[in-house]
Amino acid sequence: MDSDSIPVITIDGPSASGKGTIAQLVAKKLAFHYLDSGALYRLVALSVIQSNVDSTNESALADIALNLNVRFHDSSLQLNGEDVTNSIRTEECGKLASIIARQLKVRAALLQRQRAFRQPPGLVTDGRDMGTVVFPDATLKIFLTASAEERAQRRYKQLIEKGINANIQTLLQDIYERDARDSTRDISPLKQGEDTKLLDTTSLSIEEVVNEVLRLYNACR
Ligand SMILES: Nc1ncnc2c1ncn2[C@@H]1O[C@H](COP(=O)(O)OP(=O)(O)OP(=O)(O)O)[C@@H](O)[C@H]1O
Ligand SMILES: Nc1ccn([C@H]2C[C@H](O)[C@@H](COP(=O)(O)O)O2)c(=O)n1
């Protein structure tokens, strides 16, 4: 099967908008593959933290990105054989991922790795530039968002459920900062493409959002 004919659904959007949750559920419903592109940036960030590399050294970071020894297994992730499923989810890792994601060489180094996930019968992927840059010919492109306050509430609930202490004001501040950094950078900024459907989920349940994405996909395939 020609790679270009394999269907792709891209779900881009700001931090904690629910991209990962929705993309995984849609992928499951369609029996498609799933790619969490943010995890790749987080893995580079974790490698930088673990190896004490200067995070402004673009060539060293591109080298790390090109040579990531990563294994995706169901919902767990291994880096160099170590389970890093939870360690890439820290606020420190997310913030550094957002900072290093501004570097052209890092983004270029991850491009082919992301495109390689386009395998039959199809792919659902989430991130910041999946529809605008990585899969510009995607079958369906969604820009998933929610108000910053709602996203902070969702993140707060998510962390408390995991037994992690959190402060709603700090989370809201982090969301504002991350949104600003990801959407104002020069290369591949987070933005809604012209051919992308906007889905504001502020007052929608997870089930309602999943059903809407499936409806849109069935309407355009
Ligand atoms: N429509 C919704 N209604 C209520 N809660 C939701 C909704 N969508 C997602 N959530 C919840 O919000 C939290 C954040 O979702 P998720 O981690 O999928 O966001 P994300 O956009 O992938 O975040 P990040 O950009 O940091 O990777 C999760 O606990 C999830 O269950
Ligand atoms: N396609 C992508 C995916 C992620 N990033 C960067 C910017 C994010 O703030 C950071 C972490 O992503 P998350 O796991 O929170 O979705 O990684 C990007 O630039 N492009």
Side-chain angles (χ1 to χ4, degrees):
M1 194 178 193
D2 176 18
S3 161
D4 293 353
S5 61
I6 299 169
V8 179
I9 300 175
T10 59
I11 304 184
D12 289 306
S15 182
S17 56
K19 306 178 298 294
T21 304
I22 303 303
Q24 282 179 76
L25 289 169
V26 170
K28 204 168 172 191
K29 287 265 183 196
L30 296 170
F32 278 11
H33 299 281
Y34 166 60
L35 166 64
D36 169 7
S37 64
L40 295 174
Y41 289 91
R42 285 173 183 264
L43 286 165
V44 177
L46 183 66
S47 303
V48 168
I49 294 166
Q50 287 178 342
S51 58
N52 264 323
V53 168
D54 173 3
S55 62
T56 62
N57 183 339
E58 289 205 27
S59 299
L61 264 62
D63 209 45
I64 289 176
L66 265 182
N67 295 297
L68 276 180
N69 174 14
V70 54
R71 203 165 158 251
F72 288 83
H73 185 69
D74 291 335
S75 50
S76 72
L77 256 181
Q78 284 190 349
L79 181 65
N80 301 320
E82 182 198 347
D83 188 334
V84 294
T85 318
N86 294 327
S87 37
I88 62 162
R89 294 291 151 201
T90 62
E91 213 28 61
E92 182 194 12
C93 228
K95 186 174 177 186
L96 186 58
S98 166
I99 291 169
I100 63 166
R102 293 184 294 200
Q103 298 178 10
L104 177 62
K105 285 184 178 173
V106 169
R107 304 201 74 83
L110 292 177
L111 194 58
Q112 285 316 318
R113 194 186 281 266
Q114 294 171 87
R115 288 187 174 152
F117 277 80
R118 189 174 196 168
Q119 296 290 337
L123 173 69
V124 185
T125 181
D126 76 275
R128 303 294 187 289
D129 64 340
M130 305 316 282
T132 48
V133 175
V134 183
F135 298 106
D137 63 338
T139 322
L140 172 66
K141 301 181 187 183
I142 305 278
F143 191 89
L144 197 79
T145 192
S147 71
E149 290 73 17
E150 173 65 19
R151 288 185 280 135
Q153 286 290 350
R154 289 177 186 175
R155 185 64 94 214
Y156 179 79
K157 203 167 156 241
Q158 189 180 32
L159 291 171
I160 296 299
E161 277 169 8
K162 282 186 185 167
I164 301 169
N165 247 337
N167 173 289
I168 196 90
Q169 280 313 318
T170 312
L171 289 173
L172 187 58
Q173 191 56 37
D174 288 346
I175 279 176
Y176 283 136
E177 281 171 21
R178 184 97 76 88
D179 284 358
R181 199 182 305 114
D182 291 345
S183 53
T184 60
R185 67 182 178 220
D186 292 337
I187 308 145
S188 306
L190 169 68
K191 64 172 183 194
Q192 186 193 341
E194 277 173 17
D195 52 355
T196 306
K197 304 250 190 276
L198 175 68
L199 200 45
D200 186 332
T201 71
T202 307
S203 47
L204 297 180
S205 69
I206 292 175
E207 194 186 1
E208 285 172 322
V209 181
V210 169
N211 287 340
E212 180 59 7
V213 175
L214 290 171
R215 190 191 68 74
L216 290 168
Y217 177 63
N218 287 326
C220 73
R221 72 184 166 141

